[in-house]
């Protein structure tokens, strides 16, 4: 027996405590309660119990697990906490100055024609598409004229298109370097959270190899905010490029893409500028992803798809879902 | 007059040298020995030393290297439970797979066990959502310990107008879960108790003997 070998009192008591905590059998627990050093904290005469209780000064113990000042608390709950503490609730004095630096969406979103990257102008379908493009371009030409009012010598080809490609490459490179402060110079406030989404603590290796076709302007729109003088210009540009992308997670394991295999990327990217402001710059605003593009290569991690729960077979439903097999690393 | 001024300058200098900010932010506080380290209350934006392990980013691995197992660190601060009692339950979980730990904790009759069950589930969720752990059940408890948090103090009247303090103790729980299968012997006890290992140990002791005042 282990008990016989233990000699010192402290070790004995610790063993008793261990047995008390971990034994599921209630009789064992009751047995250990009456041993020396671990008895119930109960006086034999309950006559003076109330007076003994009066000796203790009661305290409101702080509870750190509850969050009293959560943002998600309703108004009633907040009122309850204020009442408890005896504080008069003060209405928040939030007068923040804000400035409109981007538009929240894309003006008259460009719908890229199907089969864009695959069809050539030599096919009948390709020729039809080109005709359709020319028909819908009247408004774009109008808005180009408004841009030329604010920006003299504004030429789409080749200056604007080259500049825009540089912005595109620079913004992606800044993402790899995790330079968030400079990124806002190349990317609008709308696109900034979308670019940084899910990229916390991950290393990205991105390389621009070449552009397969010269970038082409598809769509020009100019919009106003509050007054007719406050104008924002948005230009969609079509890029057909070759890129390498590899994303590694926090532990250096490859999550997505590869370091060696380059991929062709057909993208329709919207660039925006606050033309009526002196400090306006062309910045990446939004990326249009048409439905007909092939699906992205899935990541290397498996996950439980909650949408397709109804599709499970009856065999799977009966099986024990708790006993998931562990995978050896 | 000058002497007193120089004395004052010396005192202030010595005081400043004690409160000099050293490389590790905790060293300053430990050296000044104003209060114990576990009772330091961090400000809202400061991240504790334990949670900073979650921010370490490892360099990317090559294709031939063995896949590095993921880990998650998590802490639970100021739980209303005595750290001395919590120690038993924290050390019980060490080296178990996460599923096994949850099963065992359900059978323990203790408030600390209930706390740890929720805490374990939270850390698993953290790992899956933020630290790219692929399978929820493919985790094991590599580190689990507790230390003391705040102690709230109350009063109790004793015999003959004597006043004594009552200590309401709080504890902080810390967990680190790692990806993969748990090791066979977490405390490496079996490795020590094999025949060859014991023989080596005995030989080492025998050979380290010295005859004093010998050549």
């Amino acid at each position: 027996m282990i008990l016989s070998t233990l000699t010192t009192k402290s070790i004995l008591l610790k063993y008793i405590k261990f047995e008390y905590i971990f034994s599921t059998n209630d009789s064992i627990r009751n047995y250990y309660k009456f041993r020396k050093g671990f008895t119930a904290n109960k006086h034999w005469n309950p006559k003076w119990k109330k007076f003994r209780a009066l000796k203790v000064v009661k305290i409101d113990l702080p509870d750190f697990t509850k969050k009293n000042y959560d943002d998600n608390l309703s108004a009633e709950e907040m009122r309850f906490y204020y009442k408890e503490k005896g504080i008069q609730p003060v209405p928040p004095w939030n007068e923040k100055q804000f400035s409109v630096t981007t538009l929240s969406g894309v003006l008259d979103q460009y719908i890229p024609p199907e089969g864009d990257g695959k069809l050539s102008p030599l096919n009948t379908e390709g020729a039809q598409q080109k005709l359709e493009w020319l028909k819908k371009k009247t408004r774009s030409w109008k808005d180009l004229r408004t841009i030329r009012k604010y920006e003299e010598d504004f030429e789409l080809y080749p200056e604007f298109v080259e500049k825009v490609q540089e912005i595109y490459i620079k913004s992606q490179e800044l993402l790899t370097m995790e330079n968030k402060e400079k990124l806002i110079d190349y990317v609008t406030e709308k696109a900034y959270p979308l670019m940084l989404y899910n990229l916390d603590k991950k290393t990205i290796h991105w390389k621009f190899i070449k552009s397969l076709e010269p970038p082409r302007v598809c769509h020009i729109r100019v919009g106003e905010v509050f007054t007719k003088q406050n104008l924002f210009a948005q230009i969609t540009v079509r890029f057909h490029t070759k890129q390498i992308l590899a994303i590694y997670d926090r532990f250096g394991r490859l999550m997505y893409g590869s370091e060696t295999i380059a991929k062709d990327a057909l993208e329709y990217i919207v660039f925006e500028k606050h033309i009526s402001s002196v400090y306006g710059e062309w910045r990446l605003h939004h990326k249009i992803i048409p439905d007909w593009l092939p699906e992205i290569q899935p990541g290397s991690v498996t996950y439980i798809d909650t949408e397709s729960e109804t599709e499970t077979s009856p065999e799977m439903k009966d099986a024990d879902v708790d006993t998931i097999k562990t995978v050896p690393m | 007059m000058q002497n007193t001024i120089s004395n004052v300058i010396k005192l202030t200098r010595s005081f400043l040298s004690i409160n000099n900010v050293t490389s590790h932010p905790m060293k300053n506080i430990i050296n000044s020995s104003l209060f114990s380290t576990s009772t330091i209350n961090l400000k809202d934006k400061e991240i504790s030393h334990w949670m900073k392990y979650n921010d370490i980013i490892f360099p990317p691995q090559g294709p031939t290297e063995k896949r590095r197992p993921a880990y998650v660190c998590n802490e639970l601060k100021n739980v209303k439970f005595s750290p001395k009692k919590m120690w038993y339950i924290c050390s019980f979980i060490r080296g178990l797979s996460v599923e096994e730990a949850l099963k065992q904790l359900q059978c323990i009759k203790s408030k600390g066990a209930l706390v740890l069950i929720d805490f374990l589930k939270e850390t698993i969720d953290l790992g899956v959502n933020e630290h790219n752990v692929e399978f929820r059940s493919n985790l094991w408890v590599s580190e689990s310990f507790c230390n003391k948090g705040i102690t709230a103090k109350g009063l109790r009247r004793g015999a003959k107008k004597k006043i004594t303090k009552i200590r309401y103790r709080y504890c902080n729980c810390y967990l680190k879960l790692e990806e993969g299968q748990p090791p066979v012997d977490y405390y490496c006890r079996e490795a020590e108790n094999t025949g060859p290992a014991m023989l080596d140990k005995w030989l080492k002791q025998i050979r380290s003997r010295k005859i004093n005042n010998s050549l």
Side-chain angles (χ1 to χ4, degrees):
Chain A
M1 268 305 286
I2 297 166
L3 263 174
S4 58
T5 57
L6 300 169
T7 49
T8 51
K9 186 184 175 186
S10 57
I11 296 170
L12 184 73
L13 287 172
K14 272 199 175 172
Y15 178 76
I16 291 163
K17 211 173 187 179
F18 180 86
E19 276 282 337
Y20 179 76
I21 292 168
F22 293 104
S23 61
T24 49
N25 194 344
D26 270 334
S27 61
I28 294 173
R29 287 165 64 88
N30 287 330
Y31 168 70
Y32 279 112
K33 268 188 184 179
F34 291 109
R35 289 195 68 112
K36 190 183 177 183
F38 201 67
T39 50
N41 198 13
K42 219 172 159 183
H43 200 273
W44 54 270
N45 190 357
K47 185 183 174 187
W48 306 106
K49 209 174 172 183
K50 260 203 173 175
F51 296 96
R52 258 181 268 122
L54 287 173
K55 282 191 201 176
V56 181
V57 177
K58 279 194 177 176
I59 290 177
D60 281 330
L61 288 175
D63 191 4
F64 297 94
T65 51
K66 276 192 226 166
K67 287 181 188 177
N68 286 336
Y69 305 109
D70 219 359
D71 289 330
N72 296 330
L73 282 180
S74 67
E76 280 180 26
E77 284 177 332
M78 286 290 283
R79 231 178 279 150
F80 177 71
Y81 282 120
Y82 276 122
K83 259 195 173 178
E84 261 190 324
K85 305 207 170 170
I87 306 167
Q88 193 189 33
V90 180
W93 191 256
N94 278 336
E95 267 193 14
K96 280 185 185 172
Q97 192 187 42
F98 69 93
S99 57
V100 178
T101 46
T102 53
L103 296 176
S104 60
V106 179
L107 298 162
D108 212 7
Q109 202 176 49
Y110 173 66
I111 302 163
E114 272 195 56
D116 191 7
K118 295 177 189 174
L119 292 172
S120 68
L122 301 170
N123 291 352
T124 48
E125 288 171 347
Q128 272 179 359
Q129 273 186 7
K130 268 216 159 177
L131 281 170
E132 280 174 29
W133 279 332
L134 287 169
K135 280 180 202 171
K136 291 174 185 175
K137 267 190 169 180
T138 46
R139 194 162 155 208
S140 297
W141 291 122
K142 268 190 195 173
D143 288 334
L144 225 195
R145 260 183 268 152
T146 50
I147 294 171
R148 286 217 171 101
K149 274 189 214 172
Y150 288 91
E151 205 173 324
E152 286 173 12
D153 301 329
F154 179 70
E155 294 292 329
L156 284 175
Y157 301 97
E159 289 144 350
F160 173 70
V161 146
E162 276 178 12
K163 189 180 175 185
V164 142
Q165 195 172 58
E166 275 177 34
I167 290 167
Y168 172 69
I169 293 166
K170 193 73 202 265
S171 61
Q172 303 278 16
E173 283 175 359
L174 285 172
L175 266 187
T176 58
M177 291 191 276
E178 290 182 45
N179 198 343
K180 291 180 190 175
E181 288 161 6
K182 280 195 180 175
L183 185 66
I184 204 79
D185 293 335
Y186 294 91
V187 153
T188 59
E189 282 82 16
K190 185 212 152 102
Y192 181 80
L194 297 174
M195 284 192 96
L196 291 173
Y197 178 66
N198 243 352
L199 290 183
D200 196 24
K201 295 173 201 166
K202 294 188 171 70
T203 44
I204 307 166
H205 288 177
W206 184 80
K207 218 183 184 183
F208 182 84
I209 296 167
K210 63 172 181 180
S211 58
L212 298 165
E213 292 171 29
R216 202 197 336 126
V217 173
C218 300
H219 200 65
I220 303 171
R221 289 284 185 274
V222 169
E224 60 197 32
V225 178
F226 302 129
T227 54
K228 280 195 176 174
Q229 284 87 41
N230 195 11
L231 295 171
F232 284 87
Q234 288 183 350
I235 300 181
T236 22
V237 182
R238 173 188 178 278
F239 290 104
H240 198 35
T241 53
K242 223 174 197 184
Q243 298 168 11
I244 286 176
L245 177 65
I247 303 178
Y248 298 90
D249 70 351
R250 216 191 107 215
F251 304 98
R253 301 127 87 190
L254 189 63
M255 272 178 90
Y256 179 80
S258 77
E259 291 271 9
T260 46
I261 301 165
K263 295 216 163 172
D264 299 346
L266 177 62
E267 291 165 327
Y268 299 88
I269 296 174
V270 182
F271 291 88
E272 194 198 59
K273 184 179 175 181
H274 193 184
I275 42 177
S276 52
S277 154
V278 177
Y279 307 107
E281 300 275 345
W282 285 107
R283 295 187 295 173
L284 206 149
H285 185 60
H286 192 53
K287 178 173 156 180
I288 295 166
I289 303 166
D291 296 328
W292 46 262
L293 272 183
E295 278 182 30
I296 313 167
Q297 178 206 335
S300 57
V301 177
T302 57
Y303 55 93
I304 299 166
D305 192 13
T306 49
E307 287 172 8
S308 62
E309 261 180 75
T310 50
E311 291 172 18
T312 52
S313 60
E315 290 168 347
M316 278 293 288
K317 279 182 187 172
D318 292 338
D320 283 325
V321 189
D322 293 340
T323 56
I324 301 164
K325 287 181 189 169
T326 55
V327 175
M329 291 300 298
Chain B
M1 193 59 186
Q2 269 188 349
N3 271 333
T4 50
I5 290 166
S6 63
N7 282 338
V8 164
I9 291 163
K10 274 186 198 170
L11 279 170
T12 49
R13 277 208 185 125
S14 60
F15 182 72
L16 284 169
S17 67
I18 290 165
N19 291 342
N20 246 340
V21 176
T22 52
S23 55
H24 186 42
M26 295 290 233
K27 264 191 197 169
N28 175 35
I29 296 161
I30 291 165
N31 287 335
S32 63
S33 68
L34 287 168
F35 41 88
S36 65
T37 53
S38 57
T39 55
I40 290 166
N41 290 321
L42 297 169
K43 292 173 191 173
D44 283 330
K45 287 186 184 174
E46 281 180 45
I47 304 170
S48 74
H49 190 247
W50 183 245
M51 294 299 267
K52 275 185 187 162
Y53 284 113
N54 277 339
D55 295 339
I56 297 169
I57 301 170
F58 295 87
Q61 288 182 306
T64 50
E65 283 179 52
K66 199 184 172 192
R67 196 175 153 93
R68 190 181 279 121
Y71 71 82
V72 197
C73 291
N74 201 5
E75 64 183 3
L76 190 62
K77 292 264 179 158
N78 292 324
V79 180
K80 178 67 196 70
F81 198 60
S82 162
K84 278 188 181 177
K85 293 179 196 167
M86 198 69 203
W87 179 87
Y88 288 94
I89 301 159
C90 282
S91 45
F92 179 67
I93 301 178
R94 282 175 206 155
L96 301 177
S97 74
V98 141
E99 272 192 352
E100 184 67 31
L102 283 170
K103 271 190 221 171
Q104 293 288 338
L105 282 171
Q106 278 169 8
C107 301
I108 296 172
K109 267 194 178 182
S110 176
K111 184 177 163 188
L114 294 170
V115 165
L116 260 186
I117 287 167
D118 291 331
F119 183 42
L120 239 188
K121 284 181 184 173
E122 266 180 35
T123 44
I124 295 165
D125 289 335
L126 231 198
V128 169
N129 292 334
E130 292 184 27
H131 296 275
N132 200 30
V133 168
E134 196 167 348
F135 301 108
R136 298 180 72 91
S137 52
N138 196 24
L139 291 163
W140 64 279
V141 180
S142 65
E143 287 184 51
S144 142
F145 58 96
C146 65
N147 65 3
K148 65 176 175 182
I150 289 166
T151 39
K153 283 166 196 167
L155 296 174
R156 185 187 191 282
R157 193 235 151 112
K160 300 186 179 179
K161 296 181 189 175
K162 196 177 184 182
I163 296 174
T164 48
K165 285 184 211 170
I166 304 175
R167 287 176 191 83
Y168 300 97
R169 296 191 187 272
Y170 291 75
C171 69
N172 306 326
C173 308
Y174 302 91
L175 260 187
K176 183 178 166 194
L177 304 179
E178 263 185 61
E179 221 178 8
Q181 293 279 43
V184 174
D185 51 348
Y186 179 79
Y187 292 104
C188 304
R189 285 178 188 140
E190 286 179 32
E192 290 170 1
N193 290 332
T194 56
M198 285 167 86
L199 179 67
D200 283 338
K201 198 178 171 186
W202 176 80
L203 271 178
K204 204 177 168 186
Q205 277 179 349
I206 293 291
R207 283 173 185 163
S208 66
R209 291 180 299 183
K210 190 192 174 193
I211 301 167
N212 290 322
N213 306 318
S214 68
L215 291 166

